[in-house]
Amino acid sequence: MTSTVPALGTRTAEGSALQAVLLDMDGTLVDTEGFWWDVEVEVFAALGHTLDETWRHVVVGGPMTRSAGFLIEATGADITLAELTTLLNDGFEDRIGHALPLMPGAARLLAELYEYEIPTALVSASHRRIIDRVLAALGPQHFALTVAGDEVSRTKPYPDPYLLAAAGLGADPARCAVIEDTATGVQAAEAAGCRVVAVPSVAPIAPTDRRTVVTSLEEVDLAFLRGLMTEMR
């Protein structure tokens, strides 16, 4: 988990119950969910197996252990979980070394949160080695801390990563807005008691009374996030 947790400054709390914003990474801020699937397809092709396209919805958004474990079991591939995890991370790192497209609206939203000193955390099921590579493109200054999937004993869909991030920012989870793109991430954030904005990337996500669904981050700004907290009163 990285560094420099700011105090909940004056502009953070004025006129709003919003205390912090917690953001997923793959498929939410960077357009990389497709990268993971492409790498999985290539790795298993080299092992002599073809992945079923319908499995994409099973593995998206989950921790590496769950996704990789499912694919090993589904294909019967002769490879260990540790070996597959290394191959997938290596392949993904190679992909983002050539291109790392941001999702529409991501750069603008991060810049606005930074300008108004909103405590912000990056909370991902990806491993630390991947997060650190992606941070170079997102701008590490935009995040007071980051939580990686291999740094918690239970990652998404468990609430632990979001509870850890909220605690690190000194925020009440109920006053944190979480932005996620998958059902797995949404489940984790809601289990932590956070208010969720879902921006579905691969599979649809239905709205609920504590979950707002948008089609793009271009619909999300600080006023929008503060408004979500106002609706809770």
Side-chain angles (χ1 to χ4, degrees), residues 117-130:
E117 301 176 4
I118 305 299
T120 303
L122 186 66
V123 183
S124 176
S126 290
H127 289 188
R128 169 56 56 190
R129 59 181 284 197
I130 300 299

Side-chain angles (χ1 to χ4, degrees), residues 119-183:
T120 303
L122 186 66
V123 183
S124 176
S126 290
H127 289 188
R128 169 56 56 190
R129 59 181 284 197
I130 300 299
I131 288 180
D132 286 345
R133 288 289 301 275
V134 174
L135 274 175
L138 291 174
Q141 73 277 8
H142 292 123
F143 304 98
L145 60 84
T146 62
V147 178
D150 57 341
E151 295 174 340
V152 290
S153 58
R154 300 190 309 174
T155 188
K156 304 173 188 179
Y158 293 100
D160 306 37
Y162 282 113
L163 292 173
L164 181 63
L169 295 175
D172 177 355
R175 297 302 178 184
C176 293
V178 169
I179 304 179
E180 272 280 0
D181 73 302
T182 68

Side-chain angles (χ1 to χ4, degrees), residues 31 36 40 52 55 58 62 70 75 86 112 123 150 160 185 188 193:
D31 192 7
W36 282 113
E40 288 159 352
D52 190 315
W55 296 344
V58 179
F70 168 82
T75 60
T86 297
E112 183 180 18
V123 183
D150 57 341
D160 306 37

Side-chain angles (χ1 to χ4, degrees), residues 40-51 75-78:
E40 288 159 352
V41 168
E42 289 178 4
V43 167
F44 276 90
L47 295 170
H49 299 275
T50 300
L51 300 189
T75 60
D78 183 19

Side-chain angles (χ1 to χ4, degrees), residues 7-198:
L8 297 180
T10 55
R11 284 199 291 174
T12 301
E14 281 180 4
S16 172
L18 179 68
Q19 292 182 350
V21 177
L22 316 178
L23 298 128
D24 174 55
M25 187 177 76
D26 294 301
T28 299
L29 292 176
V30 288
D31 192 7
T32 50
E33 290 291 10
F35 285 14
W36 282 113
W37 179 249
D38 290 345
V39 170
E40 288 159 352
V41 168
E42 289 178 4
V43 167
F44 276 90
L47 295 170
H49 299 275
T50 300
L51 300 189
D52 190 315
E53 182 69 25
T54 61
W55 296 344
R56 183 173 183 175
H57 299 289
V58 179
V59 300
V60 68
M64 177 75 73
T65 51
R66 189 195 73 182
S67 301
F70 168 82
L71 292 174
I72 290 172
E73 183 176 353
T75 60
D78 183 19
I79 189 171
T80 68
L81 184 60
E83 290 169 337
L84 180 56
T85 296
T86 297
L87 289 176
L88 294 177
N89 278 323
D90 287 348
F92 186 80
E93 276 198 89
D94 182 65
R95 277 246 196 300
I96 63 176
H98 294 90
L100 186 57
L102 270 60
M103 298 298 288
R108 186 239 349 123
L109 177 60
L110 289 175
E112 183 180 18
L113 296 174
Y114 182 74
E115 177 185 358
Y116 285 91
E117 301 176 4
I118 305 299
T120 303
L122 186 66
V123 183
S124 176
S126 290
H127 289 188
R128 169 56 56 190
R129 59 181 284 197
I130 300 299
I131 288 180
D132 286 345
R133 288 289 301 275
V134 174
L135 274 175
L138 291 174
Q141 73 277 8
H142 292 123
F143 304 98
L145 60 84
T146 62
V147 178
D150 57 341
E151 295 174 340
V152 290
S153 58
R154 300 190 309 174
T155 188
K156 304 173 188 179
Y158 293 100
D160 306 37
Y162 282 113
L163 292 173
L164 181 63
L169 295 175
D172 177 355
R175 297 302 178 184
C176 293
V178 169
I179 304 179
E180 272 280 0
D181 73 302
T182 68
T184 299
V186 166
Q187 181 181 342
E190 291 181 341
C194 303
R195 188 64 184 258
V196 177
V197 178

